C-alpha cells in the first residue's frame, strides 16, 4: 500500500513544502493539496517548490476540476512540471465543489468532466486533442506522462471513473462504503472492456494518532461536513432511500443546515456540528497506532492501493512521524 499526504495550501507556502519534505522522509510517496484558488494559495506554483525540494514524491491536486482553468492550460501546467522534474505529477480531478461554488458557479457536469479527463491526459502526454472544436497539440512535450484519477461518490460518477480514469479517489475510509464503491468502479471498468485491476484505488481521509478519542473526533469532525456537501448533491439528485446510493452514506445528513465555505476543511467548522461521532469514526482513522494498522489492513484487503492522509488538525508533524515510524512499515 502506498501513502499520500493531503494538505491545504495555506500560507506560508514554505510550511506546505516543509511538511511534504517531512512526509517523503517518512515513506510517503504522494503529496496532494486542495485546489480552490479563492480559499487557498494557488497549488501549482507550490508544486514546483515541492518537486524541487523532494526527490521522488509524486504531487497533484485532490482535486482540481475542469471549470476553473481551461483544459489546455491545465495540461500545459502539468506537462511543464513533468518536463522540469521528471513525470512526477498526477491529476486528481472531480466536478468541483468549493472551487466552483465559492466563485458562484455550479459544479461541472459529469459529461464535461469525462471529456476533460481525456483531453487533459492527451494534451499533457503530447497527443492531439479537440478543445472547443479545435484540434490542438502541445508541440514541445516529449515522453510526457499524466495519470488522471477521478474523485466520485454517486453511481454515475463511479461508472465514469471506471470507464475513463486511471485511478479512483474515494474521500472517506469506511470499509463498507469502500467495498461498495470499489466494486462499482471495477464493474464499470470491466463493462467498458478495461482491466478492472488497472484502476488505482486511493482512499483519502483524516488520520489522527492519539489515545484521546474524543479530542481526535473533534479535530476531524469537519471531514463529515465536507463529505456532506457531496452527499447532499446525491440526495437531491437521487432522493432518499433510492437504492442507488447506500443509506450508510446518506442518512447522516438529515440534520445538515447549509454550509459556509469560509470554514471549509477546517478544524472546528461550525457547519459540521450535525456530524455524529459514529460518522467520524467510520469515515476517518482515529485512535492509537494499532487501530490505524487494523483499519488500513482491512482497506487493503478491499483493493485499496493508496491511503492519503488528510492532515488538517493540531498534530500534523506527529501524525506524519507516527505513520513513518510505525504504520507505513506495517503496511508495506
Amino acid at each position: 500500500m502506498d501513502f499520500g499526504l493531503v494538505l491545504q495550501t495555506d500560507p506560508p507556502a514554505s510550511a506546505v513544502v516543509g511538511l511534504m519534505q517531512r512526509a517523503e522522509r517518512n515513506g510517503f510517496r504522494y503529496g496532494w493539496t486542495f485546489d480552490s484558488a479563492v480559499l487557498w494559495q494557488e497549488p501549482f506554483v507550490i508544486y514546483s517548490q515541492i518537486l524541487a525540494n523532494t526527490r521522488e514524491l509524486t504531487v497533484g491536486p485532490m482535486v482540481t476540476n475542469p471549470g476553473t482553468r481551461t483544459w489546455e492550460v491545465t495540461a500545459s501546467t502539468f506537462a511543464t512540471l513533468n518536463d522540469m522534474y521528471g513525470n512526477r505529477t498526477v491529476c486528481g480531478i472531480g466536478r468541483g465543489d468549493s472551487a466552483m461554488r465559492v466563485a458562484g458557479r455550479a459544479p461541472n457536469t459529469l459529461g464535461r468532466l469525462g471529456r476533460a479527463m481525456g483531453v487533459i491526459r492527451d494534451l499533457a502526454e503530447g497527443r492531439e486533442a479537440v478543445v472547443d472544436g479545435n484540434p490542438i497539440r502541445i508541440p514541445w512535450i516529449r515522453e510526457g506522462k499524466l495519470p488522471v484519477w477521478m474523485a466520485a461518490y454517486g453511481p454515475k460518477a463511479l461508472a465514469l471513473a471506471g470507464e475513463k480514469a486511471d485511478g479512483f479517489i474515494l474521500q472517506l475510509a469506511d470499509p463498507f462504503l469502500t467495498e461498495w464503491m470499489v466494486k462499482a468502479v471495477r464493474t464499470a471498468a470491466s463493462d467498458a472492456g478495461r482491466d478492472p485491476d488497472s484502476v488505482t484505488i486511493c482512499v483519502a481521509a483524516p488520520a489522527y494518532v492519539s489515545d484521546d478519542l474524543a479530542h481526535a473526533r473533534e479535530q476531524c469532525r469537519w471531514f463529515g461536513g465536507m463529505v456532506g456537501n457531496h452527499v447532499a448533491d446525491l440526495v437531491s439528485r437521487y432522493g432518499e432511500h433510492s437504492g442507488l446510493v447506500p443509506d450508510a452514506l446518506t442518512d447522516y445528513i438529515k440534520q445538515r443546515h447549509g454550509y459556509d465555505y469560509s470554514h471549509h476543511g477546517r478544524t472546528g467548522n461550525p457547519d459540521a456540528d450535525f456530524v455524529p461521532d459514529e460518522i467520524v469514526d467510520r469515515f476517518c482513522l482515529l485512535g492509537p497506532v494499532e487501530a490505524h494498522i487494523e483499519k488500513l489492513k482491512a482497506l487493503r484487503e478491499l483493493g485499496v492501493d493508496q491511503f492519503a492522509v488528510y492532515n488538517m488538525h493540531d498534530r500534523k508533524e506527529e501524525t506524519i512521524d507516527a505513520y513513518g515510524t510505525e504504520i507505513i512499515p506495517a503496511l508495506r
Side-chain angles (χ1 to χ4, degrees), residues 223-291:
F223 184 67
M226 185 183 83
V227 173
N229 293 332
H230 305 288
V231 174
D233 286 345
L234 295 176
V235 171
S236 66
R237 186 173 300 114
Y238 298 107
E240 295 183 2
H241 312 298
S242 65
L244 297 173
V245 182
D247 293 344
L249 176 62
T250 59
D251 279 351
Y252 85 98
I253 68 161
K254 290 178 180 178
Q255 302 302 316
R256 179 180 181 269
H257 300 288
Y259 194 83
D260 181 351
Y261 280 93
S262 66
H263 305 293
H264 190 57
R266 305 288 189 187
T267 296
N269 183 346
D271 295 323
D273 288 348
F274 71 95
V275 180
D277 289 351
E278 180 220 354
I279 289 294
V280 183
D281 293 347
R282 281 173 44 204
F283 284 11
C284 305
L285 273 76
L286 312 175
V289 164
E290 295 75 19

Side-chain angles (χ1 to χ4, degrees), residues 29 37 52-54 64 72 91 117 169 176 181 209 225-226 244 250 277 291 298 306 309 315 332:
R29 293 177 178 169
N53 287 279
T54 57
T64 194
E72 71 276 14
C91 177
M117 287 195 293
I169 297 171
F176 171 78
M181 294 187 185
V209 181
M226 185 183 83
L244 297 173
T250 59
D277 289 351
Q306 179 184 152
V309 176
R315 288 177 60 85
R332 281 274 161 82

Side-chain angles (χ1 to χ4, degrees), residues 2-3 35 39 72 100 114 156 195 233 253 296 310 318 324:
D2 277 337
F3 288 83
D35 177 15
L39 297 177
E72 71 276 14
M100 295 296 287
K156 292 182 179 179
D195 176 2
D233 286 345
I253 68 161
L296 287 167
Y310 274 104
E318 294 88 345

